[in-house]
Amino acid sequence: MPANKNGPGKKKKGRRARLLVITTVLLLVAGVAFGAYWSVSTVRASFPETDGTLQLKGLSGQVKVVRDEHGIPQVYAGTAEDLFRAQGFVQAQDRFWEMDVRRHLTAGRLSEMFGSGQVETDAFLRTMGWRKVAQQEYDTKLSATTKKYLQAYSDGVNAYLKDHKGKSLSVEYAALEFQNDYKPEAWTPVDSVAWLKAMAWDLRGNMKDEIDRSLASSRLTPQQIDDLYPGYPYDRNKPIVEGGAVDSAKTFDPKGAATGGTQSAGAQNPATAGGAGAANGLRSSLASLSSSLEKIPALLGPSGNGIGSNSWVVSGDYTTTGKPLLANDPHLAPQMPSLWYQMGLHCTTTGEQCPFDVAGYTFAGMPGVVIGHNKDIAWGMTNLGADVSDLYLEKVTADSYLYDGKQKPFVTRKETIKVAGEKSREITVRETNNGPIVSDRNDELVKVGEKAPVQDPAPDRAEGYAVALRWTALDPGKTMDALFSLDLASDWASFRKAAADFDVPSQNLIYADTKGNIGYQAPGRIPVRGKAGGAAKGGDTGETPQKGQTGTTGAAGTPGVPKTDVNGDGKIDAKDAAKPDAQTATPDGRLPAPGWDPAYQWTDYVPQSALPYDYNPKRGYIVTANQAVADKNYPYLLTQDWGYGARSQRINDMIQSKIKDGGKISTEDMQKMQMDNSSEIGKLLTPYLLKIDVKGANERETKYVREAQKLLKDWDYTQEPDSAAAAYFNAVWRNTLKLAFGNKLPKELRVKGQCLRVRPANDSGPQEDLDGNTRLVLECGERDPDAAQPDGGDRWFEVVRNILDKPDNAWWKTNGTRANPGAANRDQLLAQAMIDARWELTSKLGKDVTQWSWGRLHQLNLKNQTLGKEGPAIVRWMLNRGPWNLAGGEAAVNAAGWNAAGGYGVVWVPSMRMVVNLADLDKSRWINLTGASGHAYNAHYYDQTDMWAKGELLPWAFSKEAVDKSKDAVLTLKP
């Protein structure tokens, strides 16, 4: 099978225009090394052959690959193995560069492709051992049938690789040849399984919050930190499952009555409660760890409260079709090409030998369909957000760690990291019973351990702790089995059975079937944390007790004496241990835990039978958008870091508004709901902004700012790309957050390069020097813009909501100077935010407020995930696309997310959108962020993006008749 030199066999509309573009680009870069080498044939050499006949060794019969005008393939085969062999071949045709980079990421081998700049990332990934766990899953957990499908898929990929090298694989390989002699290896089944670890990593839950809360303690009190992490507003934003209970047999019943038990509020963690020196050592360790986490490519999206997904399903009782309608749009990082690959997998005759008839969104590099529908059911996913990872502080020596009063030897392994053009590096990975020591992979931690004074020192670090990671995805699981089972599920029972194997990442699974049923299931391996009470051998931290703190030792380090004055006698002593609540608080995963104390170990997992579900609820619809899964009476702690329900409640409200008085919802209505860009914080804050008599430094500035303020007067709170009011409000919101909160956060959470003069952290010295000046030091932020705080997500909506009616709350007050006093109350701070926003937008958008627009600030740029970010400028220019001026915003249903600390650029998006019509599957609709192809300048590189940006959806042909009607190219693969 020769490499295709001519691109698609069938002439496409616009082909000549594309060749002109390619030629123009190459002429522009002529004389530059890359441009001189990249001829038209180089760029087009990797375009897939989509018409005609090709041989694919290993097939037992012919396979047809039918593509529509957007290049989306529907594959037809006689056996399941032929189906997946062809899937591997076709995905390699379109996306092999993406697949190759992904497998090097998950294996910690990016340095082999891109050189020494990736060594630190590789070392961190090797320490976690994603590839090692994937191998264990394949060897010990997955079914023989799943392994057979994975092998067939690998064979298809390798058949393509056999006859395609270098530029015929993808233009990126031509670029890579200038840097090293890298050659792709054969694909293996474990390469596919390992991708699930990357998926789980980006959807891992609250690890970032856990780190941020600890880092915040350098400048904020425990109460202030609690202010910034308010509880979920159950009274206002509904959970996914409304009601229900777990019975004595640990089985959830959505119609059951709650018995009054509630989730534990959790114990404050004694591991973080030492003196200032201990806190400094811990913060430095966590700051370094946080920095390492940020260097791992976030293939699914930045970790933040605003990021999530939407899915909802409406019963046929309330639809125009009489059958359910199901919508889904996962919110992930924008990238080129899109994370998703649209595809249909059809057996020519369904039966035992070939049971698949399914279509939807796949991951290039992994067989099967992840989200979509078959002929009987449809399903969607959103991130459940369960807390499935914990950081443990460890007291270590060079070769052991303390646990339960004894030194335990590390489990160690050597890892060799090959580096393109340089010598290999070798690292030693150390593991405790809590998981790998992730802090070993940062040199700064060594200095921290040597210098940070801690009252209870860790032996080999003089004065510090090591940090271990416990994470459910580091235990082998059966999620790959679950994906194939979802593809084959035919009813509610088989759907739930498939969900039971969906170990990680824990996802909200939403369901509908052609018989008219709707449902929801929360799956996943979710830990139950131990009780932090009772005596623990060797658990004495020797640290001073803090107000409201519980633990296992007293002020003098006496085992069994709690750290809380439970009986209220003003003393913390053994008498307090007699109180029943002194030692029963359960660790809640909100802060790093003491790894040496058995009381903080995971003891079990939430039983699958006890996980919440819903089936044909009376209300006639189900909404999942990262809000709380169950009400506060649910007995198991899933997390305390839910999304706060801004999007979910907006969707609930739109559905209720539509179906009241007998109204019905259509496919078009579902599509319009996906594009809703109403701003909840805009509705809340704007009335306060309009009441402020804002005044500038002089009459001219006053007029200038009021001109902008007037934009809000008739604003309808929508965030259209041409809205001047939306641009100004979001600028005011960004500046409000910066003044009230951002400038008060520690440097580890603020934007990199943002420097402020502040009092030294944990400074107990005098307020001012002898000249009367406040004692200040210069501190500069350390976070990447996409990860800094305050990010402006719906957690911050709740933070502001809680103080908005308290004009003298301390958060509204800011520091100032004698010449320029800071804000003393809410209205003064909001007035300053409006002034700052006016000047900021003047610099960005011009003086004339009528020419402002939200879309000019809020732009999407699609970047190739490797060379498009790190490669030479000319290569980035050739591979990347954009900008697009977008509607939507932070925590809107149309969640074109931005980080308020970092700027207005789009950092996560609805990565795809679909609406499935269970009455007629051929009338379903879908769209992808980019296109089917991963090849720059191919017709399908980003041919869906313009439509996606406008909220349009493509027809989704499923039946053989509909697919044939929409066909644009047919490729026959023969044995």
Side-chain angles (χ1 to χ4, degrees):
M1 181 178 61
N4 175 30
K5 303 293 183 184
N6 301 310
K10 188 173 182 178
K11 290 184 178 180
K12 309 288 185 185
K13 186 185 296 185
R15 176 180 174 185
R16 184 169 297 175
R18 291 194 305 277
L19 289 177
L20 180 61
V21 170
I22 296 171
T23 303
T24 302
V25 167
L26 295 172
L27 286 173
L28 286 171
V29 299
V32 180
F34 285 99
Y37 185 79
W38 285 11
S39 64
V40 171
S41 63
T42 300
V43 174
R44 297 182 62 239
S46 59
F47 289 7
E49 198 161 346
T50 58
D51 265 321
T53 302
L54 293 173
Q55 185 181 41
L56 178 54
K57 291 182 179 179
L59 292 176
S60 62
Q62 282 194 355
V63 174
K64 297 284 187 182
V65 182
V66 183
R67 293 182 186 251
D68 66 11
E69 64 177 329
H70 294 284
I72 300 171
Q74 305 284 336
V75 182
Y76 293 87
T79 70
E81 287 163 277
D82 282 357
L83 191 65
F84 295 119
R85 184 173 284 106
Q87 183 183 16
F89 180 86
V90 170
Q91 288 190 341
Q93 277 188 307
D94 282 333
R95 299 281 192 96
F96 183 73
W97 169 261
E98 174 191 10
M99 294 163 59
D100 200 16
V101 171
R102 283 181 179 176
R103 66 168 167 174
H104 280 78
L105 168 72
T106 57
R109 295 175 58 191
L110 290 171
S111 300
E112 295 179 26
M113 297 182 76
F114 304 111
S116 59
Q118 298 298 325
V119 169
E120 187 175 331
T121 297
D122 283 345
F124 192 83
L125 291 165
R126 295 284 187 97
T127 298
M128 285 193 289
W130 291 0
R131 173 77 185 202
K132 176 176 71 76
V133 178
Q135 185 70 58
Q136 291 172 345
E137 286 185 2
Y138 185 81
D139 292 340
T140 66
K141 292 290 185 179
L142 300 182
S143 70
T145 300
T146 293
K147 290 182 180 180
K148 182 170 63 176
Y149 295 160
L150 286 165
Q151 187 60 58
Y153 179 89
S154 298
D155 291 344
V157 175
N158 291 328
Y160 189 76
L161 291 181
K162 184 172 182 289
D163 294 307
H164 292 77
K165 311 292 182 185
K167 66 183 181 181
S168 67
L169 270 176
S170 186
V171 72
E172 288 92 341
Y173 289 102
L176 210 60
E177 287 177 0
F178 282 95
Q179 300 178 24
N180 58 66
D181 58 355
Y182 171 78
K183 298 292 187 296
E185 297 176 353
W187 194 266
T188 73
V190 180
D191 291 333
S192 297
V193 178
W195 172 241
L196 290 171
K197 300 305 167 189
M199 181 180 171
W201 175 254
D202 282 349
L203 300 172
R204 63 193 179 275
N206 77 335
M207 186 189 298
K208 199 70 173 176
D209 288 331
E210 188 173 336
I211 292 172
D212 286 358
R213 274 188 288 263
S214 296
L215 294 174
S217 63
S218 66
R219 291 208 170 270
L220 303 179
T221 67
Q223 180 57 56
Q224 288 174 318
I225 294 173
D226 285 346
D227 289 346
L228 301 187
Y229 290 87
Y232 185 85
Y234 288 99
D235 58 336
R236 190 175 64 256
N237 295 342
K238 297 177 181 177
I240 297 172
V241 179
E242 300 175 31
V246 176
D247 63 22
S248 58
K250 296 185 178 179
T251 300
F252 183 82
D253 180 358
K255 296 180 174 60
T259 59
T262 60
Q263 303 169 23
S264 167
Q268 189 176 358
N269 203 323
T272 62
N280 284 337
L282 174 60
R283 278 192 305 276
S284 297
S285 297
L286 293 177
S288 296
L289 175 58
S290 178
S291 176
S292 295
L293 301 185
E294 289 173 20
K295 291 178 181 177
I296 298 175
L299 293 181
L300 303 188
S303 178
N305 183 263
I307 196 167
S309 304
N310 302 322
S311 69
W312 66 93
V313 61
V314 181
S315 164
D317 293 340
Y318 297 108
T319 67
T320 58
T321 66
K323 290 291 177 70
L325 293 171
L326 185 149
N328 193 195
D329 56 288
H331 307 157
L332 305 171
Q335 56 188 271
M336 176 67 83
S338 166
L339 182 81
W340 301 105
Y341 184 85
Q342 295 154 288
M343 198 171 203
L345 301 171
H346 311 274
C347 293
T348 50
T349 302
T350 55
E352 185 175 342
Q353 187 179 22
C354 196
F356 293 92
D357 189 13
V358 61
Y361 294 87
T362 73
F363 289 139
M366 207 169 79
V369 169
V370 178
I371 294 174
H373 70 80
N374 58 33
K375 63 185 179 62
D376 298 309
I377 75 164
W379 69 97
M381 297 184 189
T382 63
N383 192 22
L384 192 151
D387 186 358
V388 296
S389 63
D390 280 337
L391 295 173
Y392 283 91
L393 305 183
E394 303 288 355
K395 300 179 180 181
V396 301
T397 67
D399 53 13
S400 68
Y401 62 97
L402 183 68
Y403 179 72
D404 198 18
K406 300 176 182 178
Q407 292 297 132
K408 304 284 187 181
F410 287 117
V411 174
T412 62
R413 67 179 189 276
K414 296 286 186 180
E415 294 278 353
T416 300
I417 300 173
K418 296 180 181 179
V419 183
E422 297 184 20
K423 67 178 182 180
S424 299
R425 315 286 206 272
E426 187 175 85
I427 65 171
T428 299
V429 177
R430 305 190 295 177
E431 293 190 10
T432 72
N433 61 326
N434 292 315
I437 299 290
V438 290
S439 57
D440 276 350
R441 299 278 63 84
N442 194 302
D443 291 340
E444 183 182 352
L445 295 177
V446 177
K447 298 177 183 178
V448 169
E450 292 172 349
K451 296 179 180 179
V454 179
Q455 293 178 349
D456 191 28
D460 82 324
R461 301 199 170 206
E463 308 278 348
Y465 299 107
V467 182
L469 171 65
R470 181 83 167 95
W471 179 34
T472 55
L474 298 184
D475 297 324
K478 299 173 66 178
T479 301
M480 188 62 75
D481 282 349
L483 289 174
F484 286 118
S485 296
L486 282 174
D487 288 353
L488 294 173
S490 58
D491 54 24
W492 176 241
S494 53
F495 174 81
R496 291 194 73 200
K497 184 177 180 180
D501 285 334
F502 206 106
D503 296 317
V504 291
S506 188
Q507 297 288 285
N508 294 309
L509 297 179
I510 201 165
Y511 167 93
D513 63 37
T514 55
K515 295 180 180 178
N517 301 300
I518 64 173
Y520 161 81
Q521 178 66 58
R525 190 191 301 140
I526 303 171
V528 175
R529 293 167 174 85
K531 301 290 185 182
K537 297 177 182 178
D540 176 17
T541 65
E543 297 163 349
T544 304
Q546 304 293 309
K547 181 180 178 182
Q549 193 171 43
T550 60
T552 61
T553 63
T558 307
V561 178
K563 291 187 176 180
T564 301
D565 179 16
V566 180
N567 63 5
D569 63 0
K571 300 177 181 179
I572 299 175
D573 52 29
K575 295 179 181 178
D576 295 300
K579 293 294 182 180
D581 58 343
Q583 300 174 18
T584 57
T586 302
D588 59 12
R590 287 166 54 88
L591 292 166
W596 55 86
D597 189 342
Y600 287 83
Q601 295 295 298
W602 293 0
T603 60
D604 204 349
Y605 295 99
V606 178
Q608 288 291 316
S609 61
L611 289 171
Y613 75 92
D614 214 347
Y615 187 61
N616 292 330
K618 288 183 179 180
R619 63 183 178 278
Y621 62 90
I622 302 169
V623 176
T624 85
N626 316 111
Q627 77 272 40
V629 168
D631 64 29
K632 51 191 172 185
N633 291 316
Y634 184 71
Y636 292 98
L637 179 66
L638 302 180
T639 186
Q640 289 199 3
D641 289 307
W642 303 111
Y644 284 77
R647 285 179 289 107
S648 62
Q649 195 55 45
R650 175 62 179 167
I651 297 167
N652 269 287
D653 292 344
M654 287 192 290
I655 294 173
Q656 290 173 352
S657 175
K658 191 68 180 178
I659 67 177
K660 72 178 180 181
D661 303 323
K664 302 285 186 179
I665 292 176
S666 66
T667 300
E668 291 75 17
D669 292 327
M670 300 283 275
Q671 185 175 342
K672 289 177 182 176
M673 290 179 193
Q674 287 181 322
M675 294 303 294
D676 179 82
N677 54 42
S678 177
S679 170
E680 181 187 341
I681 190 62
K683 295 175 186 175
L684 180 66
L685 192 56
T686 299
Y688 289 85
L689 299 176
L690 289 172
K691 292 178 182 178
I692 294 173
D693 183 20
V694 62
K695 294 180 180 179
N698 51 53
E699 184 176 346
R700 178 176 174 272
E701 186 179 57
T702 298
K703 181 180 178 181
Y704 218 50
V705 177
R706 288 179 178 176
E707 190 178 39
Q709 185 185 29
K710 288 178 182 177
L711 293 173
L712 303 177
K713 185 176 179 181
D714 298 316
W715 185 39
D716 61 0
Y717 310 119
T718 61
Q719 300 172 91
E720 296 294 340
D722 60 355
S723 172
Y728 182 58
F729 173 80
N730 283 317
V732 174
W733 172 237
R734 165 173 149 83
N735 281 279
T736 297
L737 291 171
K738 180 181 178 181
L739 292 169
F741 309 105
N743 291 348
K744 301 167 186 174
L745 296 177
K747 61 183 179 181
E748 294 89 353
L749 302 184
R750 297 201 314 270
V751 174
K752 191 177 295 182
Q754 181 197 77
C755 299
L756 300 172
R757 295 195 66 82
V758 295
R759 290 204 61 184
N762 293 307
D763 181 33
S764 59
Q767 294 282 335
E768 63 282 310
D769 60 26
L770 294 178
D771 294 324
N773 298 313
T774 302
R775 296 174 60 251
L776 300 175
V777 295
L778 186 68
E779 281 192 353
C780 296
E782 298 177 352
R783 277 276 172 91
D784 287 340
D786 292 356
Q789 292 294 337
D791 61 21
D794 60 358
R795 171 165 68 88
W796 294 98
F797 293 7
E798 292 303 308
V799 171
V800 171
R801 186 192 303 272
N802 289 341
I803 64 172
L804 201 50
D805 61 352
K806 302 177 180 66
D808 296 318
N809 185 279
W811 286 111
W812 297 120
K813 300 175 183 179
T814 63
N815 293 327
T817 64
R818 292 179 180 178
N820 186 22
N825 56 46
R826 177 197 64 205
D827 289 354
Q828 289 182 13
L829 184 142
L830 294 178
Q832 187 61 52
M834 286 194 285
I835 293 170
D836 292 350
R838 177 33 157 142
W839 289 114
E840 181 185 7
L841 294 200
T842 297
S843 68
K844 292 179 180 294
L845 302 178
K847 295 180 180 180
D848 187 353
V849 299
T850 65
Q851 299 302 307
W852 290 356
S853 69
W854 174 228
R856 287 172 60 201
L857 284 176
H858 191 53
Q859 293 186 328
L860 168 68
N861 286 280
L862 293 172
K863 297 181 180 180
N864 180 288
Q865 287 296 285
T866 50
L867 295 179
K869 290 186 175 181
E870 304 289 341
I874 188 63
V875 177
R876 298 199 304 269
W877 182 71
M878 294 183 73
L879 297 178
N880 300 339
R881 297 295 182 269
W884 283 266
N885 295 348
L886 294 190
E890 183 59 44
V893 178
N894 180 19
W898 54 288
N899 185 305
Y904 303 98
V906 176
V907 295
W908 58 78
V909 294
S911 56
M912 62 79 158
R913 298 186 184 101
M914 74 174 192
V915 178
V916 182
N917 184 333
L918 276 300
D920 185 346
L921 293 170
D922 287 329
K923 291 183 179 178
S924 301
R925 300 176 186 176
W926 60 351
I927 198 77
N928 205 351
L929 174 63
T930 59
S933 179
H935 302 293
Y937 300 101
N938 184 277
H940 308 304
Y941 190 46
Y942 66 108
D943 59 332
Q944 297 185 48
T945 308
D946 285 345
M947 292 177 286
W948 172 91
K950 297 173 185 175
E952 298 173 5
L953 299 178
L954 296 173
W956 184 351
F958 179 71
S959 70
K960 187 65 168 65
E961 296 75 18
V963 170
D964 285 341
K965 188 176 179 179
S966 65
K967 70 182 178 184
D968 192 61
V970 179
L971 178 67
T972 300
L973 300 174
K974 65 179 185 180

